Amino acid sequence: MLVRRTRCPDQGRLALVGGRLRPAEWVDEAACRGAYQILGIQVGVQDLELSGLLHYRSEDGAGRLCIVFATQRWSGQPRTTAALEYGEVVWVDPGGPPADCRPLTHAALNQYVGGTLYAAVAMPEARTPEDETAGHRQGPESELAAAARDPDHTTTGAFRNTRGTQ
């Protein structure tokens, strides 16, 4: 389930349902809050399934994390409740997302279908501070642009627990 953005950035493009964490908020609670605020549906934290973690470089070059959850259970009828930002709810096949998805949405859906929990991706036109200083854009095509054209192209790795606990 995706939503169509009505405002910039990416006006008219399909996006994941989500947002930013509030201070002292847990990630799973934020996912449930986003589902309610954007779609008007109630999702319990116990019904969330961790589907992926994307470490990406945004268009402005900043490093960001996108934590993706899925759910099979909710109450209420999905509808746009944040009309100033989202125009419609769109059901899509994760294995064949429409071309008008945001690049991050394509990356998350490709990762979900591929069954990998971690991916590192660069958004198209991503710029680093070094690029800004030198006054040029990335030369080689980004991994995400390649993945958008070819769903078999991935730069994913296995999930590793670096804290030493299971």
Side-chain angles (χ1 to χ4, degrees), residues 5-20:
R5 295 191 55 85
T6 58
R7 294 166 66 170
C8 290
D10 296 323
Q11 183 175 2
R13 297 181 90 182
L14 293 171
L16 300 167
V17 173
R20 296 178 190 242

Side-chain angles (χ1 to χ4, degrees), residues 11-52:
Q11 183 175 2
R13 297 181 90 182
L14 293 171
L16 300 167
V17 173
R20 296 178 190 242
L21 287 174
R22 292 180 176 166
E25 184 175 43
W26 295 104
V27 171
D28 53 357
E29 293 170 343
C32 295
R33 176 178 52 81
Y36 181 73
Q37 288 179 337
I38 297 169
L39 299 172
I41 60 174
Q42 297 279 342
V43 178
V45 293
Q46 72 279 3
D47 295 321
L48 292 175
E49 303 165 15
L50 179 63
S51 299

Side-chain angles (χ1 to χ4, degrees), residues 105-124:
T105 302
H106 268 286
L109 293 175
N110 286 338
Q111 178 185 356
Y112 176 76
V113 170
T116 58
L117 285 178
Y118 175 77
V121 295
M123 296 292 111

Side-chain angles (χ1 to χ4, degrees), residues 19 52-58 62-68 104 118-119:
L53 174 67
L54 283 89
H55 185 189
Y56 69 99
R57 181 171 297 204
S58 66
R64 306 232 188 263
L65 292 175
C66 175
I67 301 168
V68 181
L104 180 61
Y118 175 77

Side-chain angles (χ1 to χ4, degrees), residues 145-164:
R149 282 195 334 283
D150 178 6
D152 293 327
H153 177 91
T154 61
T155 56
T156 58
F159 180 80
R160 289 187 303 234
N161 182 339
T162 58
R163 294 188 180 172

